Amino acid sequence: MKFLFFRLAVILAIAHSVQSKACSAFLLTGKDHNVVGFNENWKTMPGMIVINKRDVLKRNISWQNLTTDQTKANKQWTSKFGSVTFNLLGYDFPCYGVNEKGLFLVELYLEETTKVYNPQQPNMFWAQWIQYQLDNYQSVKEVVDHLNDGPNIDWWPNAAGSHFFLTDAKGNSATIALLNGKYTVLTNKEMPMPLLCNNQYPKDLAAAKKFDFLGGNEKFDPDQNNKWEDRYNRAYYMLKNYKYDQKPVEYAWNILNSIHPGEWQTVIDTKKMNLYFRSDLKKEVKTIDITKLDFSKNAAVKYLDIHTDEKGIVNGYFQNLTVAKNNQYVERGFPIGYDNKEFGTSSIFEKLKKNIVKFFENILPES
């Protein structure tokens, strides 16, 4: 009996762990609409929305750079495009974002992830790798074409990794997984529906093909298939059955809320370049008009707390991001992202915080 109880406890713990890291991303696209939706399903998290400037000189940062005295840069670049990103870990370390050309990129947890290593390229912490793509490219094709000559993705130590979902302003989409030491890319041609959760794309698609909306024998009933593990099927069903009614943004919100609302929720209309977001602590939907943001070299780097009390269009509520303010998000975000209770009081974390100040002291004002 004790053995059975222990086994059940382990199974439940594993199930909770998998569920807690589960997210969903999709593209609702057509002739007159191009709308991205994303649910960040994990836990209540601090975070900020950052306006990243173009024409900023940057350098690669690996996990080793963050946590040791080896802080020498192996790669430098100047950002070509401005972007809006959602950052748990502070400046230049986003979980996802969109740049001014409409390229959207997000990471979603994937257990089977491996490392792709090119000895001729430097390592780059996974979150900065997302920013690197937004800084340099404006289309899905450009990102995919430069995967093998770009920096190596450096994951958290002793943890799995992620796969990526990306879209652009022309309605192109792709998924990027790191499997068996290689990049595995699926583009529009290989994806009958631009939708990604936390399984490899072919696995979720194969499971969904048993239902009638994909030619299978089993009738899909949205009222019955409403469990957590059904979210891919529900999203696919809703995306497939969308009939253009000039309200794709509203429909995207319906999908997100139908497949279990995330702690962070984001919808981006890359036709009109409007970004909508909400959090589990502040459930009112806010709007950012990306076309009216200042991404110029001489502008200040600005941020807005993701749990802001402001409502409506929030462009005017962004504040200047300083080293001191960035450190506050680093101190709260990294222990959560690393998912280790002891990390926040470790000597490694103290080193990390000091290094981050050095990395960005020439980009962010001190106070």
Side-chain angles (χ1 to χ4, degrees):
M1 179 65 75
K2 289 182 178 179
F3 173 77
L4 290 175
F5 177 79
F6 174 76
R7 186 178 181 185
L8 177 60
V10 170
I11 291 172
L12 290 174
I14 293 173
H16 174 73
S17 174
V18 172
Q19 175 171 315
S20 69
K21 297 181 179 179
C23 304
S24 309
F26 60 83
L27 174 64
L28 181 64
T29 187
K31 180 180 178 181
D32 299 310
H33 60 280
N34 197 46
V35 176
V36 177
F38 175 63
N39 268 341
E40 175 77 64
N41 292 99
W42 191 18
K43 56 179 123 178
T44 295
M45 302 182 297
M48 60 178 172
I49 305 167
V50 181
I51 301 174
N52 305 277
K53 303 188 298 179
R54 65 177 86 94
D55 299 316
V56 175
L57 179 64
K58 298 186 179 184
R59 44 125 333 144
N60 72 293
I61 302 171
S62 67
W63 181 254
Q64 185 179 46
N65 294 149
L66 284 168
T67 56
T68 71
D69 291 324
Q70 298 181 34
T71 58
K72 183 179 179 181
N74 301 110
K75 186 178 185 69
Q76 291 187 331
W77 72 96
T78 299
S79 57
K80 296 178 183 178
F81 308 110
S83 60
V84 181
T85 56
F86 288 71
N87 299 33
L88 169 66
L89 308 174
Y91 176 76
D92 225 37
F93 295 133
C95 301
Y96 59 99
V98 62
N99 70 18
E100 60 183 311
K101 297 298 183 179
L103 176 68
F104 170 81
L105 180 62
V106 62
E107 61 90 21
L108 300 90
Y109 178 83
L110 182 66
E111 184 69 33
E112 305 95 316
T113 302
T114 63
K115 186 176 179 66
V116 177
Y117 181 68
N118 181 347
Q120 297 180 330
Q121 293 296 329
N123 290 340
M124 183 178 289
F125 188 52
W126 65 267
Q128 192 189 37
W129 185 88
I130 294 173
Q131 186 64 57
Y132 177 84
Q133 309 306 317
L134 297 175
D135 285 349
N136 286 287
Y137 306 120
Q138 58 184 321
S139 71
V140 167
K141 185 178 187 302
E142 287 184 356
V143 173
V144 171
D145 286 349
H146 289 89
L147 281 176
N148 289 304
D149 58 28
N152 303 312
I153 302 176
D154 202 7
W155 302 111
W156 297 105
N158 302 320
S162 302
H163 52 178
F164 300 90
F165 180 74
L166 57 159
T167 71
D168 62 31
K170 293 184 177 181
N172 301 303
S173 60
T175 64
I176 301 171
L178 289 75
L179 303 170
N180 302 314
K182 298 180 180 180
Y183 292 109
T184 300
V185 178
L186 299 177
T187 59
N188 294 42
K189 294 179 180 179
E190 295 90 15
M191 295 192 300
M193 188 63 71
L195 166 66
L196 190 65
C197 293
N198 299 97
N199 289 318
Q200 294 181 43
Y201 187 93
K203 180 179 179 180
D204 273 337
L205 178 61
K209 285 184 176 180
K210 68 180 180 181
F211 292 111
D212 55 352
F213 66 83
L214 283 177
N217 296 322
E218 186 173 331
K219 179 176 174 55
F220 183 80
D221 185 345
D223 295 328
Q224 295 294 323
N225 294 273
N226 56 8
K227 298 178 181 178
W228 178 268
E229 58 270 22
D230 295 326
R231 67 191 188 284
Y232 180 91
N233 298 331
R234 289 177 63 81
Y236 201 123
Y237 176 82
M238 294 184 72
L239 288 164
K240 187 174 178 63
N241 285 282
Y242 176 61
K243 293 180 173 55
Y244 183 60
D245 59 357
Q246 297 185 330
K247 296 180 179 180
V249 169
E250 288 85 346
Y251 196 79
W253 277 113
N254 288 339
I255 295 174
L256 291 179
N257 293 326
S258 295
I259 56 176
H260 300 277
E263 280 70 28
W264 295 1
Q265 289 183 287
T266 308
V267 172
I268 305 172
D269 182 343
T270 56
K271 288 280 190 183
K272 298 179 179 179
M273 290 302 284
N274 283 328
L275 185 156
Y276 309 89
F277 71 96
R278 60 191 276 182
S279 77
D280 56 333
L281 300 184
K282 301 295 178 180
K283 298 185 183 300
E284 302 87 355
V285 175
K286 290 89 174 173
T287 304
I288 298 172
D289 185 343
I290 299 175
T291 65
K292 295 182 179 179
L293 297 177
D294 186 357
F295 297 114
S296 66
K297 181 177 182 179
N298 295 325
V301 177
K302 292 182 175 289
Y303 83 98
L304 180 70
D305 193 275
I306 196 168
H307 303 299
T308 178
D309 289 319
E310 306 302 338
K311 300 178 181 179
I313 299 176
V314 296
N315 285 48
Y317 297 105
F318 280 81
Q319 300 176 352
N320 292 353
L321 182 60
T322 64
V323 169
K325 178 57 68 174
N326 189 61
N327 284 350
Q328 293 178 19
Y329 285 94
V330 168
E331 290 177 355
R332 289 182 293 164
F334 264 94
I336 289 177
Y338 193 31
D339 206 16
N340 184 311
K341 294 181 180 179
E342 287 73 36
F343 182 66
T345 57
S346 68
S347 59
I348 292 178
F349 186 47
E350 292 303 314
K351 176 72 69 174
L352 180 149
K353 289 189 290 184
K354 291 179 182 178
N355 283 339
I356 284 180
V357 171
K358 293 179 183 178
F359 295 147
F360 301 126
E361 61 186 357
N362 294 325
I363 297 175
L364 303 176
E366 185 174 343
S367 60

